[in-house]
Amino acid sequence: MRKPYVILIGSASGIGKSTIAAELAKQLNIKHLIESDFIRAVVRGIIGKEYAPALHSSSYDAYKNLRNKARFENYEDLVSAGFDEHASYVIPALEKIIQRAITDYDDIVIEGVHLVPGLIDIEQFKEFANIYFFVLSSDEDSHKERFVKRAVQIHRGGKQLDYFKENRIIHDHLLEQAEKNDVVVINTETIEKSMDSILSVINKACTTIKLTNSVDELEDVINIIINENNGSIEKITYNITGFKEPLVRNINISDAKSSMRFIKNINENKDKKEYLSKLYDLSDYRNTVICASNPEKIEKIIKKLESKGYVLNE
């Protein structure tokens, strides 16, 4: 039998994980969608407040129940430690749910703030399931806007809005843990872009094309691949005349902000732009691995690049 899909979506409160998880389950026709908050409620019924005060707090103020708070060097470390303590009581139950889904060959999507990279052990499941772990990210202004909207919707605005700073600390902590544990970070610019980014990892439609664009045309190439079609650039190989081995660069650019920072860095740094121009001159073309959420998107990208004369057709 095929391996079931286990898809984990974590983020701080107010990023949009519930919306994205629901849309993902719908598109992949996965009937089991679980919120970690419901599991926390069950665990709270089993473990009393006197034994686990952090569990019976919210994720953003669990730090208040930590012992020996003076051992933390700063407020950010204190809030993060309280959050980890809070999540650690929920994670064993989430791991049991994943194991049950695998045993029953059921696909499942789990979303929630308690999915902390490094705390939940996904390695134990990789042999038996197609497991994907995503952490959602947002810039501070967008996060605050969604945070306020969510707080009003669930009628807990007064309390939650007082803790936006702490939720932002949790957001940054999750991103840091994601980087340490090789968990994919998805920037939530729009639902469509987020979905495409997630599906491009799960479906992973990729191909290699031979690009002949100039350095000045690089911004247009990136715009076509990433901004217009939510694709990604994974790797570039330079076949330099006179060298036996090609020069390989792993790029892994998949979001608009990273790509724009990359272009800005080149345009504003004369030495880097000159170096890249020389590298382009030394190779007739560059083997470039591009990926997207499905083969149709890949074909659309290639046709647009060809129409601009950026692809070497042999």
Side-chain angles (χ1 to χ4, degrees):
M1 296 181 70
R2 72 164 180 84
K3 292 181 180 180
Y5 282 92
V6 175
I7 303 172
L8 310 177
I9 301 177
S11 80
S13 296
I15 298 294
K17 57 185 172 294
S18 297
T19 302
I20 290 172
E23 182 63 25
L24 183 64
K26 179 182 177 182
Q27 289 201 25
L28 296 179
N29 196 28
I30 296 176
K31 62 180 180 180
H32 297 296
L33 170 58
I34 294 177
E35 297 179 30
S36 67
D37 281 353
F38 288 106
I39 308 306
R40 178 184 61 182
V42 174
V43 177
R44 280 175 172 173
I46 298 171
I47 305 175
K49 186 175 182 179
E50 63 274 21
Y51 296 105
L55 171 64
H56 288 264
S57 304
S58 296
S59 59
Y60 49 78
D61 65 358
Y63 69 93
K64 294 179 179 180
N65 292 290
L66 292 177
R67 298 179 184 275
N68 191 14
K69 298 181 183 64
R71 72 183 186 272
F72 298 100
E73 294 183 0
N74 53 59
Y75 186 61
E76 287 76 13
D77 289 347
L78 175 64
V79 172
S80 297
F83 166 68
D84 284 346
E85 175 82 3
H86 173 86
S88 67
Y89 288 102
V90 184
I91 285 173
L94 293 173
E95 291 177 345
K96 289 295 184 182
I97 289 171
I98 294 171
Q99 186 58 65
R100 178 57 187 264
I102 292 172
T103 300
D104 293 345
Y105 295 97
D106 281 331
D107 300 325
I108 190 171
V109 176
I110 302 176
E111 61 93 351
V113 70
H114 306 96
L115 296 167
V116 184
L119 290 186
I120 187 166
D121 179 14
I122 63 172
E123 292 298 323
Q124 62 181 308
F125 305 119
K126 286 189 173 179
E127 183 180 348
F128 311 102
N130 294 305
I131 188 160
Y132 298 94
F133 196 171
F134 303 97
V135 168
L136 307 184
S137 171
S138 174
D139 63 77
E140 188 166 352
D141 289 339
S142 298
H143 185 191
K144 183 175 290 186
E145 182 180 343
R146 290 195 193 104
F147 190 78
V148 171
K149 184 178 180 180
R150 178 180 181 274
V152 171
Q153 285 175 339
I154 63 177
H155 306 294
R156 279 187 266 161
K159 183 178 179 182
Q160 286 213 347
L161 292 177
D162 290 339
Y163 286 96
F164 177 74
K165 177 182 178 181
E166 287 72 17
N167 272 283
R168 195 64 192 171
I169 291 171
I170 290 170
H171 169 275
D172 295 343
H173 174 65
L174 285 170
L175 295 193
E176 183 180 342
Q177 294 306 113
E179 184 177 355
K180 287 180 180 178
N181 293 277
D182 295 322
V183 170
V184 178
V185 174
I186 302 294
N187 292 309
T188 55
E189 298 175 59
T190 65
I191 292 177
E192 181 185 0
K193 285 182 176 291
S194 299
M195 289 299 301
D196 273 345
S197 297
I198 290 172
L199 290 172
S200 69
V201 174
I202 295 173
N203 296 331
K204 203 65 175 182
C206 298
T207 192
T208 300
I209 56 176
K210 295 179 178 179
L211 290 179
T212 59
N213 60 282
S214 67
V215 173
D216 289 330
E217 294 168 333
L218 182 57
E219 183 173 356
D220 192 30
V221 169
I222 288 177
N223 184 59
I224 292 169
I225 297 171
I226 296 175
N227 298 336
E228 293 182 9
N229 294 285
N230 303 322
S232 64
I233 302 173
E234 303 284 316
K235 183 170 67 174
I236 298 177
T237 301
Y238 300 88
N239 297 290
I240 302 174
T241 305
F243 287 80
K244 291 184 178 180
E245 298 294 330
L247 176 64
V248 180
R249 291 284 185 264
N250 291 311
I251 304 298
N252 295 320
I253 298 178
S254 60
D255 64 278
K257 289 183 179 179
S258 296
S259 63
M260 288 303 99
R261 283 198 300 268
F262 176 71
I263 292 296
K264 184 179 179 182
N265 190 25
I266 291 174
N267 289 335
E268 293 181 354
N269 191 315
K270 183 179 178 180
D271 291 338
K272 281 189 176 181
K273 188 169 185 178
E274 185 177 342
Y275 166 78
L276 192 60
S277 296
K278 288 180 179 178
L279 196 57
Y280 276 30
D281 291 339
L282 290 172
S283 55
D284 295 329
Y285 59 86
R286 296 163 300 286
N287 282 319
T288 305
V289 178
I290 62 171
C291 299
S293 57
N294 55 61
E296 290 74 22
K297 278 279 178 79
I298 289 287
E299 187 64 27
K300 183 180 178 182
I301 291 171
I302 293 173
K303 284 184 177 179
K304 185 64 176 291
L305 292 172
E306 286 177 339
S307 71
K308 293 290 191 79
Y310 298 149
V311 179
L312 177 65
N313 291 312
E314 298 177 308

